[in-house]
Amino acid sequence: MKILKYIFLLLLLTLFATTVFIATQKGDYDVTRSRVIKSQRSTVFNYVNDFRNWETFGSWKKEDPEMTFNYPNNTVGIGANYSWKGNDGNGEMKTIAIKNNVSIHQKMDYNGSLSDVYWTFKDTAGGTKVTWRSKGTMGFGFKVYSAFKGGPSNVIGDMYEKSLANLDKTLDYEINTYSIKVAGVVQKLGCYYLKQSITSKISDVPKNLRIMIPKIINFFKKNKLVMHGKPFVLYHTYDNASGITKLSVCIPIKEIVYTSQGSDITSGQLYPFKAVKTILKGDYSHTKEAWQKTFKYINKNNLSQNINVASLELYYKNIEQIANPSQWITEIYIPIQSKAVVISKPKTDQEPVATPVEQAVESSEP
């Protein structure tokens, strides 16, 4: 029995000594990892700048499949944040500063360990050099964990290396896997909607949509409103010369709803119109090519754009529903002028014959 007591006391002393040793160790750390990502700088920056994309490349999700994530209204740019719960602990992160396409500065709290996280993006041969740095102070729990894993440099560095490799693979596939199909002339049905309108640089539209679509969806959830269709954007003006567009992010509603005075969410009505429809499956960055193909179709078929009606993008599958950009589906509707039905002079009594364009409209699905 005495031997067992001595063994127990020895183990207790060893545990105490180990605890004291770990607690008195230096808690500061500074870990940096870099990798060349085979995608253009703006693409990499925009992808990393949205916390909703981190699930697709973060190694922590693969190592802990049960990990859950909470995304608030804003996940892009300054003020963006998200939090998570996992088997190894809980954490939260917030973006506090950005330089567009150059750098991102974030604050992280993981199980009481506070750190500053820095991203830098530089053009280089073969793509973009991405540098990911974490600088902070370990809490006791992380000290214990890292002590058995070879130190914070091994723990954080290994995670960053795996995640950067995943980021490279993810962007290479998710961003570059897409398809564009011009469906032809259709009749777009009308609806009531709630909208938020802004004036934006055309180059900033994809970034702004990543912010605005979740925001207006959150407005519906907060006010217990029912979405009566998919989110869409109306382009009221689109000036390539100045690089400026005025747009509204909209969500269909069954009947007119009036918001409080001064709200940036207002109501509107979309009237039916004839349009050329194009379907883009893939990341929003390919919308420019999809628009170009739509206009090419319009010109080839001697059609004419109706500039008095706003062009429309409908997000049939979007980032709110699925994280993978390769699976997003965007429908583009460019309004066209109605053409008169061509009636030939029959030699005998017969019904008027519609042109191929009119026939397509009559038979198309809304």
Side-chain angles (χ1 to χ4, degrees), residues 191-195 225 228 251-259 266-271:
C191 65
Y192 293 110
Y193 58 79
L194 288 180
K195 66 176 180 177
L225 298 171
H228 203 64
I251 291 183
I253 50 180
K254 188 173 183 179
E255 53 190 24
I256 196 71
V257 172
Y258 296 101
T259 56
T266 57
S267 60
Q269 182 176 1
L270 177 70
Y271 294 95

Side-chain angles (χ1 to χ4, degrees), residues 116-218:
D116 286 278
V117 179
Y118 304 92
W119 294 80
T120 58
F121 308 84
K122 294 183 178 180
D123 291 323
T124 189
T128 304
K129 183 180 179 180
V130 178
T131 301
W132 195 358
R133 179 187 179 193
S134 185
K135 181 180 180 181
T137 303
M138 293 182 288
F140 178 74
F142 188 44
K143 280 185 180 181
V144 174
Y145 179 77
S146 65
F148 291 99
K149 294 288 185 177
S153 182
N154 281 354
V155 175
I156 299 173
D158 182 62
M159 178 178 64
Y160 280 9
E161 287 174 5
K162 290 179 180 178
S163 297
L164 287 171
N166 291 339
L167 177 63
D168 191 20
K169 293 177 182 177
T170 298
L171 283 173
D172 187 49
Y173 178 82
E174 292 295 339
I175 301 299
N176 297 318
T177 301
Y178 72 101
S179 63
I180 297 173
K181 178 183 177 182
V182 180
V185 179
V186 299
Q187 184 74 17
K188 184 72 183 75
L189 297 181
C191 65
Y192 293 110
Y193 58 79
L194 288 180
K195 66 176 180 177
Q196 182 185 24
S197 302
I198 64 165
T199 298
S200 166
K201 291 182 179 179
I202 293 174
S203 59
D204 289 341
V205 168
K207 178 183 69 176
N208 288 330
L209 293 183
R210 289 176 183 268
I211 298 172
M212 294 175 69
I213 292 176
K215 180 179 178 180
I216 195 168
I217 289 177
N218 185 67

Side-chain angles (χ1 to χ4, degrees), residues 266-285:
T266 57
S267 60
Q269 182 176 1
L270 177 70
Y271 294 95
F273 64 92
K274 189 190 301 183
V276 173
K277 175 183 177 181
T278 295
I279 302 170
L280 164 65
K281 184 177 182 181
D283 187 71
Y284 299 147
S285 60

